[in-house]
Amino acid sequence: MNFEDFNFDRLIKDAIAKKGYTTPSPIQEQAIPPALEGKDILGCAQTGTGKTCAFAVPILHKLTANQADFAGSKKIRALILTPTRELAMQIHDSFSDYGKFLTLRTGLVMGGVSSVEQIRAIKNGVDILVATPGRFIDLVWQGYADPSYVEIFVLDEADRMLDMGFLPDVRRVVEMLPQKRQTLFFSATMPPEIRKLTDSLLIDPVSVTVTPVSSTVDAIKQSVYLTDKNSKLDLLVWLLKNNKDMDSALVFSRTKYGADKIAEKLRRDGISTAAIHGNKSQGARQSALNSFKRGNVRVLVATDIAARGLDIDDISHVVNYELPNEFETYVHRIGRTGRAGKDGTAISFCDIDEKEYLVGIEKLIKKKIDVVETHPFVMTVFKKSPPKKQQQRPPRAQRA
Ligand code: AMP
C-alpha cells in the first residue's frame, strides 16, 4: 500500500511525498480511511507510530473540501488538544508540513508563553487550532476562542492528560464542543478512566491498535546496571567517558530537581549536557532541545513529562537513571531510540529499591534484560529503604 491508494486531496499527497514518506505506517493505513469517511476513531498508539499524520490528513482533507463555505468566517473548525507544549508545537509543525500546499490556517495556543500573539492569530482566523487544555479554556472564557463550530476534535495522548491531572480540563473542553462532530481519540494505553472517557466521547468508533507496547522493544539493545542510589551519577559519567558511541543520549530523571543535578554533574565533568523539564521556561526548553537535535550537546536530561512526544530521531542511547514504577513508561522511554529502523541502546540503572520494578518491566516486555556484571559501581547496598510517606500531589503540579 502507498499514499496514492488513499482517497484524499492531491495537494496533501504532494506534501507527504515532499516529506519523503512512501509507505503509510500501520496507524495511518488503518485510521485514515475510516476517518475520511467521518467515523470516530479510537486509536491505541504511542508517539513514533505516525499518529499525527493519521489524524492530520483527514482533517486537512475535510476542511479543504468545504473551505469555500467558510470563506472569511474565521471559525475554528478543527481542535487538537494535546497535553504538552512540545507536542503542541510538533503537531502544529506537522499540520504546516502536510498542509503546505493548502490555504488552511493552523493556530497554536499553549501555556508558558504570552497569549498576545495567540489571540491575534485567532482573531485573524484559524481553521485548525492545536492547543494545550488550560490555555485553550482561558481563551474561551476570555471570549477570544469560540469552540462552537468545531467539526473535528482530536484528543491526543489521553492517558498522559490523565497522568498530568488534565482530565477535568479535557471534560470542560468537551462540554463546550458541539454534539455533532467527529472525534479522533488517541492514547498509548487504555487505563479504566480513559476507557470511561472514550465511552462518553465517541460514537460507534473504529478501533485501531498498533504495535502493542510490549512488542516494540525487540530491536533495542537493553541492559541494566545494578548499582546504588549514591553511585548513579558516577556510573553515568563513567559510561559516557568510556563509550564514545554514546553520541546522543537521552537520560530520564524522575524529578525536575534530579534532572538539574545530573546535568550539573555531567557539565562539571566536561560532558556537554542540556536539561528540559517543567520548571524551565519555554524558551530554555526549546533551546535545550534544539542544541540536542543539532548535536551541539551530547546528553539531554529530561523528565518523562517534558520528554513526552518529543520527536527526535537519531538518539543513540536512552538511559533510565531511575527505573519507572509504571512499567509501560519504560517501554515508552526506550522507544525513543532505535527509531526508523536504526539501532538503539537502552541502559537502565537499578538500585535495590527499584528491583521490584525491574521484575515488573521484564514481565511486561516478556524478556529478561541483560545484567552488566562488571563495572566499577556495582551494588553494595542490599537493604531496601523504609517506605516513604505517600505525599498528596497538587492537581496541576505536573504541568510540563
Ligand atoms: P508521530 O508518531 O506522529 O510523532 O510520528 C513519528 C515520526 O514518524 C515523525 O518524525 C514523522 O515525521 C514520521 N512519520 C510519520 N509517518 C511517516 C511515514 N508514513 N513514513 C515515514 N515517516 C513517517
Side-chain angles (χ1 to χ4, degrees):
M1 170 146 212
N2 69 47
F3 282 102
E4 289 302 321
D5 302 328
F6 286 126
N7 194 10
F8 61 76
D9 198 287
R10 171 85 261 148
L11 295 175
I12 307 173
K13 288 183 180 169
D14 290 348
I16 284 178
K18 209 154 182 111
K19 283 284 285 178
Y21 305 172
T22 47
T23 337
S25 70
I27 185 98
Q28 291 158 6
E29 203 174 311
Q30 294 173 50
I32 290 176
L36 285 170
E37 281 174 28
K39 300 245 166 64
D40 282 0
I41 301 287
L42 170 51
C44 193
Q46 63 189 93
T47 287
T49 53
K51 68 181 159 69
T52 315
C53 176
F55 63 73
V57 164
I59 290 175
L60 291 166
H61 174 82
K62 295 184 91 179
L63 299 199
T64 291
N66 63 357
Q67 194 175 4
D69 302 344
F70 290 86
S73 75
K74 299 186 178 173
K75 305 234 185 306
I76 301 166
R77 296 165 57 211
L79 173 69
I80 295 97
L81 271 197
T82 191
T84 69
R85 300 167 208 159
E86 280 78 11
L87 210 43
M89 286 190 284
Q90 280 169 24
I91 294 172
H92 180 262
D93 289 349
S94 295
F95 271 94
S96 305
D97 285 346
Y98 307 138
K100 69 190 295 183
F101 300 125
L102 307 175
T103 52
L104 294 168
R105 283 176 294 186
T106 305
L108 174 64
V109 308
M110 56 186 194
V113 289
S114 155
S115 58
V116 176
E117 272 311 308
Q118 302 173 4
I119 292 169
R120 200 196 319 264
I122 295 176
K123 278 187 174 163
N124 287 339
V126 294
D127 303 283
I128 300 156
L129 188 67
V130 183
T132 54
R135 177 60 62 88
F136 179 72
I137 291 172
D138 290 347
L139 295 185
V140 173
W141 282 348
Q142 289 165 26
Y144 294 116
D146 179 3
S148 52
Y149 293 90
V150 169
E151 297 163 37
I152 310 178
F153 170 56
V154 178
L155 185 61
D156 188 36
E157 307 248 344
D159 53 348
R160 218 17 71 162
M161 295 276 196
L162 168 73
D163 290 349
M164 293 169 76
F166 292 174
L167 274 203
D169 278 354
V170 169
R171 287 199 193 94
R172 236 164 259 146
V173 172
V174 170
E175 275 165 23
M176 297 169 176
L177 299 174
Q179 292 276 326
K180 189 171 166 320
R181 59 159 200 271
Q182 182 181 11
T183 303
L184 312 177
F185 187 104
F186 293 89
S187 192
T189 55
M190 290 285 165
E193 275 125 312
I194 295 299
R195 280 247 165 257
K196 235 166 72 194
L197 186 65
T198 62
D199 290 342
S200 65
L201 270 188
L202 302 169
I203 300 171
D204 195 18
V206 172
S207 287
V208 177
T209 301
V210 296
T211 48
V213 289
S214 53
S215 68
T216 57
V217 296
D218 291 344
I220 299 165
K221 220 160 71 198
Q222 300 169 64
S223 60
V224 60
Y225 287 72
L226 301 179
T227 188
D228 298 330
K229 216 175 247 71
N230 290 338
S231 303
K232 287 184 174 180
L233 279 176
D234 292 323
L235 174 58
L236 182 59
V237 170
W238 178 81
L239 278 171
L240 284 158
K241 291 209 161 156
N242 289 284
N243 289 285
K244 293 287 172 274
D245 66 331
M246 279 180 91
D247 46 21
S248 57
L250 177 60
V251 176
F252 282 96
S253 158
R254 185 154 44 218
T255 64
K256 301 168 195 172
Y257 169 75
D260 282 336
K261 208 169 98 182
I262 296 167
E264 259 167 49
K265 164 78 176 162
L266 296 184
R267 282 192 211 110
R268 269 204 313 274
D269 280 84
I271 297 160
S272 58
T273 303
I276 82 172
H277 56 66
N279 284 358
K280 302 225 172 224
S281 71
Q282 187 58 34
R285 290 202 287 179
Q286 200 55 43
S287 100
L289 185 60
N290 289 343
S291 307
F292 185 62
K293 276 186 168 177
R294 286 196 208 104
N296 297 341
V297 295
R298 190 175 161 204
V299 181
L300 182 68
V301 189
T303 54
D304 283 305
I305 287 174
R308 179 78 180 183
L310 289 186
D311 182 16
I312 315 171
D313 293 330
D314 294 331
I315 292 173
S316 69
H317 289 69
V318 163
V319 179
N320 293 302
Y321 191 83
E322 290 106 358
L323 279 178
N325 56 358
E326 282 174 26
F327 309 142
E328 288 188 345
T329 300
Y330 174 85
V331 180
H332 295 311
R333 286 181 180 183
I334 73 166
R336 320 315 304 273
T337 183
R339 289 173 79 167
K342 296 197 181 106
D343 288 343
T345 304
I347 292 173
S348 300
F349 296 172
C350 174
D351 64 40
I352 189 70
D353 293 329
E354 295 164 323
K355 268 203 132 168
E356 58 189 289
Y357 306 155
L358 182 61
V359 175
I361 288 164
E362 289 181 330
K363 222 162 150 184
L364 174 73
I365 63 172
K366 298 194 182 78
K367 73 185 206 187
K368 283 259 171 232
I369 302 175
D370 290 339
V371 177
V372 179
E373 306 276 357
T374 46
H375 62 89
F377 303 99
V378 291
M379 191 182 278
T380 58
V381 178
F382 299 100
K383 190 168 177 299
K384 284 173 84 168
S385 322
K388 281 200 193 97
K389 260 189 148 162
Q390 198 74 37
Q391 279 191 345
Q392 195 86 42
R393 193 172 60 174
R396 288 208 178 181
Q398 281 207 35
R399 201 180 265 281

